[in-house]
Amino acid sequence: MDRPAMASVFRMRHAPATVSGVRSTGQGQANPVIRVRSLGEAIRFVANAYPEYDISAVAISCGDASISGLGNLEVKALWREYGKRLTQE
């Protein structure tokens, strides 16, 4: 993910988002239902999910067509670049 794409995601950090593809790492535990209000919260959740959750198949989507689904590598890059600023006003 290049810097202009990351900046675009950062500007959209307050947009509604959904998280899918997260699996529990505990034996016999159900896969979690992730409830987040914004793209920034979704990125923060995924960035901090390991080791409690398997995020290898994670996908974050939001209502903006200019932002394609974000996977594990994109989330890590965004969190390194922006960190907690993704969830701040």
Side-chain angles (χ1 to χ4, degrees):
M1 176 173 262
D2 61 13
R3 288 195 182 270
M6 286 195 292
S8 178
V9 171
F10 182 74
R11 286 189 300 273
M12 296 298 302
R13 68 189 179 277
H14 299 296
T18 59
V19 178
S20 61
V22 176
R23 296 184 300 252
S24 176
T25 57
Q27 192 170 24
Q29 292 182 346
N31 291 334
V33 175
I34 311 302
R35 291 182 187 7
V36 294
R37 292 183 300 250
S38 68
L39 183 57
E41 285 183 11
I43 293 168
R44 179 185 62 196
F45 172 82
V46 172
N48 295 308
Y50 183 81
E52 294 177 39
Y53 300 108
D54 175 1
I55 54 171
S56 60
V58 72
I60 297 175
S61 59
C62 72
D64 191 323
S66 68
I67 299 175
S68 60
L70 302 173
N72 188 21
L73 294 178
E74 292 88 3
V75 167
K76 287 178 182 178
L78 286 159
W79 192 251
R80 269 193 313 272
E81 182 72 22
Y82 297 106
K84 292 181 182 178
R85 291 183 295 159
L86 285 162
T87 57
Q88 297 171 343
E89 292 298 318

